[in-house]
Amino acid sequence: MPPTTIYAATMLAAGIGIPVLAALNAALGQRIGAPIAASTILFLVALTTTVIALFLSGTASALTQAMTAPKHLFLAGFLVAFYVLSITFVAPKFGVGNAVFFVLLGQLISAAAIDHFGLFGAQISPLSLSRAGGIGLMAAGVWMTQQA
């Protein structure tokens, strides 16, 4: 199987997981009456999972190199926490579909900007008229799914 097929399948699975994550964590937050506690539990499970993967991969020594990385790269952790906290609070009140719709819209916008300008070391992929049209069609498609 070509690597691009594996990458596409992996990211499709990750994309499928995002609304499931939102629904599960929102339900847990409502069940225990504390969305922040539900988010904390999610991160404890995630930390445990990633620590196991780290040691199984044999790359634990890379943690020492992280101290030399530019500090702005650590904002990714803040962004994950912001997403999990916000989806856990918002989804029960706004609906998982509506919440994820706006997450997807934000992803389309930021991904296009990151690729266009090559931000954070990303491969540059200029925002052509056809690419912008495709992103617009994707956004329209996601919007249409929420109108039914």
Side-chain angles (χ1 to χ4, degrees):
M1 187 177 305
T4 54
T5 303
I6 294 169
Y7 300 153
T10 299
M11 296 319 300
L12 179 63
I16 291 168
I18 289 173
V20 174
L21 174 159
L24 291 173
N25 217 49
L28 179 61
Q30 284 194 309
R31 172 102 182 201
I32 65 176
I36 294 175
S39 296
T40 302
I41 292 165
L42 177 142
F43 282 112
L44 289 173
V45 172
L47 176 63
T48 302
T49 304
T50 56
V51 167
I52 291 168
L54 177 70
F55 283 103
L56 288 177
S57 73
T59 59
S61 62
L63 289 176
T64 59
Q65 296 172 1
M67 300 322 260
T68 62
K71 300 306 174 223
H72 72 275
L73 298 179
F74 295 100
L75 288 174
F78 170 80
L79 293 171
V80 167
F82 176 73
Y83 168 74
V84 169
L85 287 165
S86 63
I87 201 81
T88 303
F89 274 103
V90 172
K93 299 168 180 81
F94 194 47
V96 172
N98 287 330
V100 171
F101 162 74
F102 283 99
V103 168
L104 290 172
L105 186 59
Q107 287 176 331
L108 291 170
I109 293 166
S110 66
I114 290 167
D115 285 352
H116 181 76
F117 295 108
L119 301 176
F120 316 115
Q123 180 179 341
I124 293 176
S125 182
L127 184 60
S128 64
L129 189 57
S130 64
R131 189 159 188 236
I135 291 169
L137 283 172
M138 289 174 66
V142 171
W143 178 79
M144 286 175 62
T145 65
Q146 295 307 301
Q147 302 308 303

